[in-house]
């Protein structure tokens, strides 16, 4: 009996060590599949935790945010390896997180889009704060009518392509007075709609490449020079309350984001990836913040 008791105690000790390790090996986060392709191009063979420069092939806002997510989790004490689950719908990703099928979204989400899910989600501190999301008005390089539309009056004559679930984008387009808006669920298709002249423009963050071009596969868009827009709201990572480690993930992100802000990594990442682009500093903000109603803080 004494021998049996000793064996049981040893087995229990082994389980206490092994189970947390096995449970914490990976953490699944959903993200648009087109972002994953650029993320893989940007990271290459590097360890995301070691990245300190945020420019180069594949670098853009969505991509560096996946790197920042991993660094924030690690700095906050959550050591699991992040596994990316490719999806192709903003709304589907929100539903997967809400239902607990994935732990969190690897892409930031507008705070306004999370208000209906507060019972099922935890929300990280903001990486992009109110008033910081500045975007370009993008068109095809051959669309001279759009390229010359640099006043509110001229922009109102254009048509736009967007995703009906992107509330901040739609609110901004409405604020600009654009009445013809055509919708698609998928970002590559939105870009192709503009290339094919089914719509004149779409909104997108500025890019770090020469010309600040949006490039998707074999097509590209350029910003209308000299003007920019502000999208209302802040952006956060949503975490599923149904995930067994949701509280630990949330606490790690609180600590990690604070650490990244303290050492200026977030600001630098956004600047180097082109999101906070110095070349557009003196461009005209066509919709100053006091002229639009906020979609969320």
């Amino acid at each position: 009996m004494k021998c049996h008791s000793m064996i049981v105690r040893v087995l229990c000790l082994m389980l206490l060590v092994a189970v947390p390790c096995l449970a914490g090996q990976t953490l699944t986060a959903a993200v648009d599949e087109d972002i994953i392709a650029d993320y893989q191009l940007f990271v290459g063979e590097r360890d995301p935790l070691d990245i300190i420069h945020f420019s180069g092939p594949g670098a853009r806002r969505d991509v560096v945010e996946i790197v920042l997510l991993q660094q924030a989790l690690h700095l906050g004490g959550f050591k699991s390896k992040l596994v990316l689950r490719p999806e192709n719908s903003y709304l589907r990703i929100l539903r997967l997180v809400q239902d607990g099928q994935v732990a969190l979204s690897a892409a930031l989400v507008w705070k306004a889009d999370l208000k209906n899910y507060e019972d099922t989600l935890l929300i990280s501190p903001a990486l992009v704060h109110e008033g910081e999301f500045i975007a370009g008005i993008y068109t095809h390089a051959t669309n001279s009518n759009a390229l010359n539309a640099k006043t509110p009056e001229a922009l109102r004559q254009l048509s736009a392509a967007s995703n009906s679930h992107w509330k901040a984008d739609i609110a901004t387009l409405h604020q600009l007075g654009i009445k013809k808006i055509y919708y698609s669920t998928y970002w590559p298709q939105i870009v192709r709609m503009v290339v094919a002249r089914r719509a004149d423009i779409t909104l997108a963050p500025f890019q770090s490449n020469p010309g600040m071009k949006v490039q998707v596969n074999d097509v590209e868009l350029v910003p209308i020079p000299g003007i920019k827009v502000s999208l209302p709201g802040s952006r956060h990572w949503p975490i599923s309350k149904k995930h067994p480690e949701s509280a630990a993930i949330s606490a790690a992100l609180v600590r990690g984001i604070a650490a990244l802000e303290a050492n200026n990594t977030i600001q630098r990442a956004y600047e180097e990836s082109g999101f906070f682009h110095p070349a557009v500093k003196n461009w005209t903000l066509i919709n100053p913040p006091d002229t639009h109603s906020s979609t969320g803080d």
Side-chain angles (χ1 to χ4, degrees):
M1 289 294 293
K2 188 174 181 181
C3 179
H4 179 266
S5 177
M6 180 66 71
I7 291 170
V8 169
R9 277 169 29 198
V10 169
L11 285 172
C12 286
L13 256 171
M14 290 173 64
L15 285 172
L16 284 171
V17 174
V19 170
C21 178
L22 289 170
Q25 282 183 342
T26 60
L27 183 69
T28 302
V31 68
D32 281 341
E33 56 190 4
D34 71 288
I35 299 175
I36 293 178
D38 279 344
Y39 170 79
Q40 292 171 337
L41 175 63
F42 173 66
V43 173
E45 299 299 319
R46 296 180 293 174
D47 185 338
L49 301 179
D50 296 333
I51 292 175
I52 57 173
H53 300 295
F54 297 89
S55 59
R60 57 182 169 114
R61 176 187 57 80
D62 317 73
V63 166
V64 302
E65 285 170 354
I66 300 177
V67 176
L68 293 175
L69 172 60
Q70 293 171 87
Q71 293 186 0
L73 286 168
H74 186 79
L75 288 170
F78 199 89
K79 308 300 183 182
S80 298
K81 179 181 178 182
L82 193 72
V83 175
L84 299 176
R85 171 171 168 168
E87 294 294 338
N88 56 16
S89 165
Y90 181 77
L91 189 59
R92 175 168 168 76
I93 290 172
L94 283 179
R95 286 175 177 165
L96 287 172
V97 179
Q98 182 189 17
D99 294 342
Q101 295 185 53
V102 296
L104 73 167
S105 167
L108 294 175
V109 174
W110 291 106
K111 180 70 171 293
D113 293 340
L114 302 176
K115 285 186 175 179
N116 294 331
Y117 304 124
E118 289 177 347
D119 291 341
T120 55
L121 299 177
L122 296 171
I123 301 172
S124 78
L127 258 73
V128 181
H129 300 272
E130 178 70 50
E132 290 185 337
F133 200 109
I134 304 299
I137 304 175
Y138 276 79
T139 188
H140 192 255
T142 61
N143 191 333
S144 57
N145 189 41
L147 288 171
N148 291 320
K150 300 183 181 182
T151 65
E153 293 75 21
L155 287 170
R156 283 197 286 271
Q157 307 307 312
L158 303 178
S159 60
S162 192
N163 184 324
S164 61
H165 301 301
W166 297 350
K167 296 178 183 178
D169 291 61
I170 302 307
T172 301
L173 291 171
H174 285 160
Q175 182 210 349
L176 293 173
I178 296 174
K179 294 182 173 58
K180 293 182 180 179
I181 305 176
Y182 303 101
Y183 297 107
S184 174
T185 304
Y186 312 115
W187 172 240
Q189 188 173 344
I190 290 170
V191 173
R192 291 188 179 279
M193 288 170 70
V194 178
V195 171
R197 299 288 190 94
R198 291 170 56 198
D200 292 307
I201 62 169
T202 192
L203 303 181
F206 293 106
Q207 309 294 306
S208 61
N209 61 63
M212 296 177 283
K213 298 174 182 177
V214 164
Q215 297 171 318
V216 177
N217 299 324
D218 58 339
V219 297
E220 62 183 32
L221 303 178
V222 299
I224 298 175
I227 59 173
K228 57 189 179 182
V229 293
S230 170
L231 273 64
S234 57
R235 290 176 66 84
H236 310 252
W237 283 304
I239 306 142
S240 176
K241 286 184 178 180
K242 293 184 179 181
H243 191 276
E245 296 179 288
S246 59
I249 296 167
S250 178
L253 286 176
V254 170
R255 293 189 294 267
I257 291 170
L260 291 174
E261 287 181 334
N263 64 20
N264 206 41
T265 298
I266 296 173
Q267 177 77 18
R268 187 161 41 80
Y270 281 148
E271 288 175 353
E272 293 177 0
S273 66
F275 179 44
F276 293 167
H277 208 298
V280 305
K281 182 178 180 181
N282 296 320
W283 285 19
T284 299
L285 185 63
I286 207 112
N287 64 333
D290 60 352
T291 66
H292 60 57
S293 58
S294 176
T295 62
D297 55 10

